[in-house]
Structures are given as structure tokens and as C-alpha cells.
Amino acid sequence: MSLFIESHGRGPDVVLLHGWGLHGGVFDRIAANLAGEFCVHLVDLPGHGGSAASLSFNPDTIASQLAERFPLPVQVVGWSLGGLIAQHWAARHPAGVKSLALIATSPRFVRDDSWPHAQQRAAIEGVGASLDGAFEQTLERFLALQMLGAPAARQTLAALKEQMFAHGRPQGLLPALDCLLAADARELAPLITCPVGLFFGARDAITPIGAGRWLAAALPDATLYEFAQASHAPFLSHESEFLQHLRHHLEQHA
């Protein structure tokens, strides 16, 4: 399956993987800022944006596809669902990933007795159940949840809404949602030996700060950056501060 990818700039390669329901364009401002020093690749994950849908959304399969598309070692930035794919990429294809930057993501997106750092299963299932009858409204409510508690949430949400269908109407959101319900990548953490920057909002209701702190302890080489006033999208709500830390991470490991 082919992936829709936009590339900008020149220099060391940086691949950016977006979250559920959106597409690579959500990183346009980040890419524009980095393009003077890096070659930035914005990927639309399967079933999102300009990439075709698939009957299944398997993180290992997608990671292998990305490893084939980028055969030379790259730095990978993954947000939320994209961060889950990035964890699989770094664990399964370690020679191809120089560093990871994981933004508001988790090895597991569903809460249970062994994992308190997530939402209840019913909250995610509810998003899927309402997609057929109220597609746009469901996505907008999901985006609003990502901004809860963040300063300037209304402006950030407006920017996300403007981006939502910029690459077309996504065709494969349910398989990706099923992936989030089933995922448990905790066993991959010891296999991720590259340097990892962790970028988490302390007010995040989708991937709580506890998930970031767990990753910081479980990964062999990780640095945690906490954004005290941010929610699920610190790269949008706290762009300047986020870029400062991300640029340092990328330059340090390029």
C-alpha cells in the first residue's frame, strides 16, 4: 500500500507521524520551522488524509512499510497514534531509527487494572460507534477533547478543524481506532535503544502524563519534557516552547 508523503527542506531526514483522525498537514507549522535544517517528511497514515484505507491497521505492518520507504536511518517524530507506530518502528527496525520524539502518546490507550494511564475503553468505543451517523461532529468532539484544559484551547481547536479535511475525507478511521483499542506495546520499551525525547502535556486526558513518566522510566535512553499547561497537542498549544525542545533533541542526535 502506498502512503501519501509530503517532503520539505534539506538536511538530515525527519519523519513526522500524525494522530488519529488527522493527517500529516497537522505538522505544517512545525515542518516549516524545521525545513531550514532538516528534510522533513509528513506522512499520512493508512486510511487518513491522502493515503488509501486498509481492512486492518497493524502497527508492525505499517512500521515495516515505513522502514522500506525510508531505508536510511531517520529521526522519527510521532504524535498519539503516530507515536504508537513510531514505537513499533524503532523496536522492530532499530538500525533505521536514529532517535524518537514521542508526543502525547502511549504504549497502551485503554485503561485497565495494570494500566491506569489511559481512557476507559467505553470512551474510545463511543467514538467509533458514532462515526457512521455523525462523522464530522464526532471528529470535532474528539478534537475538542484533545484541547481540554489547555490555554488558548479555542484557537488551537479552530486550527485543528481547519486542517481536518485538507487532505480529503479520511476513509479508514475505524481500523485505526480498533488498533488503539487493542494496542499494548509495553513489551517493546526495552527494545527501543535509540535516544527518545518524550513531550507530554500535564493536562492531557487522552494520554495522561503518567504514560510519559512510565515511558521515561522504561525506555533505556529517554528524556521527558513536561508542559504544565498543555493538553494532548503541546506542539500546537505551546508551539514555541515545544520547538525549542524538539530542535535541541533533533540537533543533538542528527
Side-chain angles (χ1 to χ4, degrees):
M1 181 188 301
S2 62
L3 294 172
F4 180 82
I5 301 172
E6 289 186 346
S7 300
H8 307 274
R10 299 178 67 180
D13 292 293
V14 178
V15 180
L16 287 87
L17 307 176
H18 61 83
W20 184 84
L22 288 158
H23 51 78
V26 74
F27 289 119
D28 277 350
R29 288 177 60 88
I30 301 299
N33 196 285
L34 296 176
E37 300 172 53
F38 300 93
C39 185
V40 185
H41 308 278
L42 305 179
V43 176
D44 285 0
L45 293 172
H48 293 71
S51 292
S54 174
L55 293 177
S56 65
F57 191 98
N58 183 287
D60 277 334
T61 301
I62 298 168
S64 295
Q65 186 179 1
L66 288 164
E68 290 179 8
R69 175 60 180 81
F70 298 99
L72 299 178
V74 296
Q75 298 190 86
V76 182
V77 180
W79 171 46
S80 198
L81 173 63
L84 177 66
I85 303 302
Q87 291 170 66
H88 281 259
W89 188 356
R92 304 303 190 198
H93 306 275
V97 179
K98 291 182 185 178
S99 79
L100 286 185
L102 300 178
I103 310 165
T105 189
S106 181
R108 183 163 174 77
F109 286 78
V110 176
R111 185 185 306 174
D112 62 21
D113 290 343
S114 70
W115 186 253
H117 316 301
Q119 300 179 87
Q120 297 288 355
R121 174 175 292 271
I124 301 176
E125 290 176 337
V127 173
S130 59
L131 275 175
D132 281 344
F135 186 86
E136 286 83 1
Q137 295 92 329
T138 299
L139 283 182
E140 287 187 9
R141 285 197 300 271
F142 181 72
L143 294 180
L145 176 62
Q146 300 184 37
M147 297 299 109
L148 282 178
R154 184 172 298 177
Q155 296 92 316
T156 307
L157 180 59
L160 278 176
K161 286 181 180 179
E162 189 175 328
Q163 279 281 356
M164 193 185 306
F165 300 124
H167 289 190
R169 184 185 173 98
Q171 301 298 317
L173 296 189
L174 277 176
L177 205 63
D178 289 339
C179 170
L180 291 177
L181 285 166
D184 190 344
R186 284 177 284 183
E187 65 179 17
L188 299 183
L191 306 178
I192 300 173
T193 56
C194 66
V196 182
L198 301 165
F199 303 81
F200 279 75
R203 299 184 176 188
D204 193 344
I206 295 175
T207 52
I209 190 65
R213 292 169 182 166
W214 184 93
L215 284 166
L219 293 166
D221 182 3
T223 302
L224 176 61
Y225 303 94
E226 295 189 20
F227 298 80
Q229 302 301 315
S231 184
H232 193 58
F235 66 98
L236 293 173
S237 62
H238 294 71
E239 181 181 301
S240 178
E241 182 185 357
F242 171 83
L243 271 168
Q244 178 183 353
H245 292 310
L246 178 64
R247 185 182 296 279
H248 173 74
H249 170 81
L250 294 175
E251 291 174 347
Q252 187 177 11
H253 304 297

